[in-house]
Amino acid sequence: MGVSITPAKPLNVGVIGCGAIIAQYLSNFRRLDPINLVAVADLDPARAQAVADSYDGVRALSVDELLAADDVDLVLNLTIPAAHADIALKAIAAGKSVYGEKPLAATTAEAREVLAAAAAAGVVVGCAPDTVLGTGIQTARKAIDDGLIGAPVSATATMATPGHERWHPNPDFYYQPGGGPLLDMGPYYVSALVTLLGPVVSVVGAASHTRSQRTIGSGPREGQVVPVDIDSHVTGVLVHESGALSTLFMSFDAVKTKSPNIEIHGEKGSLIVPDPNHFDGDVQLFALGAEDWETLPVSAGYVDSGRGFGIADLAATPPGQEPRAGGRLAFHALDIMESVLESAKSGQAVAIRSTASRPAGVELVELTEVSTPVRA
């Protein structure tokens, strides 16, 4: 166990965007002492008021009022991806730090503007996914750092689903530019791969799509047809700075897979890593010479964590240091994904123009300690 460090004072948080995902953040905020939720805003005032009514001490404000509020230190940006950069820039201009849902912005050009503005203003940028801070990815990370598989050689990352239109009542976005399997689910997988294996220096990509339209399968729009204007199957090879090679398989066309979400191979063993869209899960090791897979004990990460732990970790990050779920990692992940799609169009390898330090590992922190996150 690590020694917990309490931030000098709780971080006052205001949330912009009160859609469905806010419920997960609110549940965790109630048990994270470093976070003090003070205000919420939404384009629909009724949604903001409903959240405020459910959480003691929280005010429902307009977006402009929240951005101007003196008691908001950090804006949690839960708007749609197309609005991420606009809201982030407005918050930064108001002197506030920002933590956003993934992706950091719709494009690397917008994301670069956000990071530059934050650096000029002296504020901090954090970004989901913070699933990389949970016990699943962090236990796998510790196994690699402890040398259980020797020098990492390769990895595979697999996400296969026949399409979100089967269950999502409004799936249009997933099949328009900015959507697709890689940009939708890739942030979880790519952020995990960088956390496990380090930054990426070049990529090769290929992409395809099987259908020009999709039919909504549930909800009030059941039976309506949605046009497909993106590639719905993407494969990429990532060359890590360390020399390890990762293969991405991201598909809205494949029906099912038995492949692990992530598998890491090294000279002395192989690891099965749990779903990077979750915070926990079993890590399995097959060591060279062993007879079967071994489930490793939970040995690192925030125990029983969830969305919002990245903000608590940010609150405990010493000034001048990059948060583990920080803007640079989010930018690098977005750059990698954009470059895979660029390579798929050009048929040529693409050098990655950005980099991000492999975030420091998270020591094992039990639920009772979570209110004061560990910093190395």
Side-chain angles (χ1 to χ4, degrees):
M1 299 292 178
V3 178
S4 297
I5 299 173
T6 305
K9 63 177 183 178
L11 186 67
N12 288 340
V13 174
V15 181
I16 297 179
C18 297
I21 198 170
I22 195 174
Q24 297 181 47
Y25 281 92
L26 296 179
S27 175
N28 290 312
F29 284 174
R30 288 186 168 92
R31 58 196 182 111
L32 289 169
D33 290 349
I35 297 175
N36 180 33
L37 182 62
V38 297
V40 294
D42 192 275
L43 291 178
D44 181 352
R47 291 207 301 188
Q49 190 61 55
V51 171
D53 290 343
S54 72
Y55 204 109
D56 289 345
V58 173
R59 313 189 308 279
L61 304 175
S62 70
V63 171
D64 288 343
E65 288 171 339
L66 188 147
L67 291 172
D70 291 337
D71 61 343
V72 172
D73 303 317
L74 177 143
V75 171
L76 171 57
N77 186 359
L78 300 184
T79 59
I80 61 173
H84 283 183
D86 179 59
I87 294 297
L89 289 169
K90 288 178 178 176
I92 291 166
K96 305 182 189 311
S97 294
V98 180
Y99 185 96
E101 255 302 323
K102 57 85 181 172
L104 179 59
T107 66
T108 52
E110 291 182 351
R112 187 177 291 107
E113 188 178 357
V114 169
L115 294 186
V123 299
V124 180
V125 176
C127 188
D130 50 3
T131 47
V132 294
L133 307 180
T135 54
I137 301 300
Q138 289 296 322
T139 294
R141 157 73 182 259
K142 187 173 189 302
I144 294 171
D145 289 352
D146 288 348
L148 298 188
I149 65 169
V153 175
S154 66
T156 57
T158 305
M159 191 288 298
T161 174
H164 292 351
E165 75 280 359
R166 298 170 65 250
W167 56 269
H168 199 292
N170 294 293
D172 310 64
F173 164 78
Y174 296 107
Y175 299 103
Q176 301 301 310
L182 181 59
L183 293 177
D184 175 41
M185 295 301 294
Y188 299 103
Y189 289 81
V190 174
S191 296
L193 289 170
V194 174
T195 296
L196 293 166
L197 300 175
V200 172
V201 295
S202 67
V203 301
V204 176
S208 64
H209 65 275
T210 58
R211 283 165 279 173
S212 60
Q213 59 186 32
R214 301 285 180 120
T215 302
I216 298 176
S218 64
R221 297 175 61 199
E222 182 176 357
Q224 289 187 21
V225 170
V226 174
V228 175
D229 294 327
I230 48 87
D231 284 318
S232 48
H233 180 98
V234 182
T235 299
V237 176
L238 318 182
V239 180
H240 293 265
E241 188 176 68
S242 65
L245 304 177
S246 294
T247 302
L248 288 174
F249 177 102
M250 303 277 121
S251 184
F252 283 167
D253 293 337
V255 173
K256 199 69 175 175
T257 179
K258 292 181 72 174
S259 298
N261 294 99
I262 296 178
E263 199 167 48
I264 310 286
H265 302 287
E267 296 173 314
K268 298 180 180 178
S270 295
L271 281 178
I272 293 176
V273 182
D275 189 344
N277 191 22
H278 297 162
F279 289 82
D280 54 12
D282 290 337
V283 177
Q284 294 183 292
L285 168 70
F286 201 114
L288 183 65
E291 296 183 357
D292 202 355
W293 293 94
E294 167 195 2
T295 299
L296 298 180
V298 172
S299 59
Y302 293 124
V303 177
D304 193 26
S305 53
R307 281 178 169 81
F309 274 61
I311 302 174
D313 189 82
L314 180 153
T317 301
Q321 291 189 21
E322 177 77 0
R324 290 187 178 100
R328 292 177 187 170
L329 175 59
F331 182 89
H332 189 52
L334 181 59
D335 193 12
I336 292 166
M337 293 185 294
E338 267 196 6
S339 297
V340 168
L341 296 175
E342 179 185 340
S343 175
K345 287 184 171 63
S346 70
Q348 298 179 338
V350 174
I352 302 300
R353 295 167 287 275
S354 67
T355 191
S357 299
R358 188 171 179 243
V362 180
E363 298 181 32
L364 187 64
V365 184
E366 296 284 359
L367 180 61
T368 54
E369 298 178 275
V370 161
S371 62
T372 51
V374 171
R375 290 303 300 180

